[in-house]
Amino acid sequence: MLSFKEFRDALTGSFLLAKRDTAGLQLFDVGIDGFWRSFLVIVPIAPFYVLYAMQEIQIAHAMDPQGTYLATDTGFVVARILLLVLDWLIFPAAMIFITRLLVLWPRFIAFITIYNWTSLFIILALAPSALLFYFGLISAQMVATINLFATLLILYYRWYIATVVLETAAMTAALIVIFDFTLSLLVHGLFGRLTGY
């Protein structure tokens, strides 16, 4: 189980890294036990994915009230949770081969541990706009604009983390972030073709 101290330290470390303060690295448990426990972060992340799935449903209905883009709202939410699980497992598995190929294997455990925890930080940072939209306080267009800027910031954040945790060159870190983003798009696209969601 994850402890309150782990949550506090990891989120503090994530915040410090967002400010480009490498002191945040010291707040993560990057031992083998911490590595395996970091995968449990999917549990507190999952409810936020439900929220974002509901946001997507609302946006789809707002843009096309008569549309049948989403076969069922419940099915779409379940599909998004399954996608979360796939994303959660596929990227670390792929990074086993990538870090070996790039001779970064000694930093693999630390990188994936911090990657998992900072995913929670990212999800929490995005939550306010999703909640504001869910309760009708901001428009779908505003959410789209916020999400666009948020995506750029997230990619930069991921790049910085890859640079400092893997102790690698800026270009190598950029290629890893591009690979992560592309892999996620491919998984989502293939999943959509197979399931209709």
Side-chain angles (χ1 to χ4, degrees):
M1 293 296 293
L2 298 172
S3 68
F4 173 77
K5 182 179 183 300
E6 282 179 294
F7 276 98
R8 182 193 64 199
D9 289 349
L11 290 176
T12 301
S14 299
F15 177 70
L16 290 174
L17 288 174
K19 298 197 304 178
R20 295 178 59 92
D21 184 348
T22 55
L25 295 175
Q26 309 306 316
L27 295 174
F28 297 93
D29 178 358
V30 294
I32 189 65
D33 289 339
F35 167 78
W36 288 117
R37 282 199 308 276
S38 75
F39 284 91
L40 296 176
V41 176
I42 193 175
V43 176
I45 282 178
F48 291 96
Y49 261 72
V50 173
L51 173 64
Y52 300 140
M54 293 170 68
Q55 174 183 277
E56 286 187 63
I57 290 168
Q58 281 188 302
I59 291 173
H61 289 326
M63 292 184 171
D64 186 9
Q66 306 303 320
T68 57
Y69 170 69
L70 305 176
T72 66
D73 293 353
T74 301
F76 184 76
V77 171
V78 172
R80 280 294 177 263
I81 294 298
L82 291 176
L83 271 173
L84 168 63
V85 175
L86 286 174
D87 276 338
W88 200 247
L89 299 176
I90 287 177
F91 178 66
M95 282 303 293
I96 292 173
F97 301 100
I98 297 297
T99 52
R100 288 186 182 277
L101 178 66
L102 299 176
V103 198
L104 299 172
W105 174 247
R107 303 296 300 164
F108 169 78
I109 288 177
F111 176 70
I112 295 300
T113 301
I114 294 173
Y115 181 95
N116 287 345
W117 276 110
T118 52
S119 295
L120 177 60
F121 176 77
I122 289 169
I123 289 294
L124 290 173
L126 293 173
S129 64
L131 287 170
L132 287 172
F133 175 74
Y134 183 73
F135 289 109
L137 300 175
I138 59 176
S139 67
Q141 290 78 9
M142 186 172 293
V143 170
T145 301
I146 291 171
N147 287 346
L148 174 61
F149 282 106
T151 298
L152 296 175
L153 290 173
I154 289 166
L155 291 174
Y156 174 78
Y157 184 49
R158 290 297 197 198
W159 169 82
Y160 178 72
I161 289 169
T163 302
V164 298
V165 178
L166 292 172
E167 299 177 354
T168 190
M171 182 56 70
T172 302
L175 291 173
I176 289 171
V177 172
I178 292 169
F179 170 77
D180 178 19
F181 186 72
T182 304
L183 180 63
S184 183
L185 290 178
L186 289 173
V187 169
H188 282 237
L190 181 59
F191 186 87
R193 286 179 177 274
L194 292 175
T195 67
Y197 291 102

